[in-house]
Amino acid sequence: MSAITLAVVSGGLSVPSSTRLLADRLTEATTAALAATGREVRVQLHELRPLAGPISNHLVTGWPAPALGTALEEVSGADALIAVSPIFSASFSGLFKSFFDLLDPGALAGKPVLIGATGGTARHSLALDHALRPLFAYQRALVAPTAVFAASEDWGGTGDSHTDTLPTRIERAGRELAALTLEAAAADQQPQSGPTAPVLGFH
């Protein structure tokens, strides 16, 4: 069996970045779930902060710099995608949106995607369903049911009996993305049947 290629896009703007930290945790959970099925995983990580200049230039000129071109090709060609953005003013960052605007139409069609986001307070968590999920649904991606939001307090919180902890949500999301990826890979390996010739009857 060929290795599963997992592209990871982190839209964090600071160093260190909680967005990158969440992307790493989601990657670990997905990789572990795929490895449990015996599948090898090849991870391609793309941080958008170093690509901010090339992304802006591409929007103006229509030509990507080599590093940006490689990132766009790898995201388009991956078997699955993890995409994580910081939340500003109740939506994803402009840099995050600009990167995905540069993908060719249909590049994410049918691709399993796990979305995540980070923000200062839990109030920003609504952006997952009101901003990120519609973005990838528009691009006809297969978005995993569990989207993971991490507020500042989540990193040290233990949760309670009525609330999922951040590690629990990360593990569940990783399992879901792994399952979607394996289903998509199995569907791609199914032989494509050609058109059936019409049966001619005589009366």
Side-chain angles (χ1 to χ4, degrees):
M1 293 183 291
S2 59
I4 296 292
T5 304
L6 176 62
V8 182
V9 173
S10 171
L13 301 179
S14 60
V15 179
S17 166
S18 61
T19 301
R20 169 63 189 275
L21 180 58
L22 179 58
D24 288 343
R25 296 290 188 272
L26 293 172
T27 300
E28 292 168 3
T30 304
T31 300
L34 287 168
T37 69
R39 298 303 295 267
E40 179 186 353
V41 183
R42 186 167 62 249
V43 176
Q44 300 168 332
L45 173 65
H46 303 287
E47 289 200 77
L48 299 187
R49 184 174 182 271
L51 297 175
I55 288 172
S56 297
N57 289 335
H58 187 7
L59 289 170
V60 174
T61 66
W63 296 97
L68 176 58
T70 297
L72 293 171
E73 289 177 4
E74 291 185 348
V75 169
S76 299
D79 296 307
L81 169 66
I82 294 173
V84 186
S85 173
I87 300 301
F88 302 116
S89 301
S91 188
F92 38 64
S93 71
L95 181 62
F96 183 87
K97 177 63 162 56
S98 295
F99 176 81
F100 285 101
D101 282 345
L102 295 176
L103 291 173
D104 290 335
L108 299 183
K111 191 185 302 297
V113 175
L114 170 55
I115 56 175
T118 59
T121 70
R123 291 182 301 166
H124 291 302
S125 62
L126 293 175
L128 283 169
D129 288 327
H130 291 283
L132 271 80
R133 196 177 292 276
L135 170 66
F136 291 101
Y138 175 79
Q139 296 179 342
R140 294 180 288 133
L142 300 176
V143 184
T146 298
V148 180
F149 180 84
S152 299
E153 63 267 21
D154 287 327
W155 294 108
T158 57
D160 55 43
S161 60
H162 302 291
T163 305
D164 285 344
T165 63
L166 179 59
T168 300
R169 299 196 302 274
I170 289 173
E171 182 180 357
R172 182 171 65 245
R175 291 197 307 268
E176 290 173 356
L177 182 61
L180 285 174
T181 303
L182 294 175
E183 290 173 6
D188 288 341
Q189 294 173 359
Q190 292 296 323
Q192 300 295 319
S193 57
T196 304
V199 177
L200 301 180
F202 297 92
H203 302 280

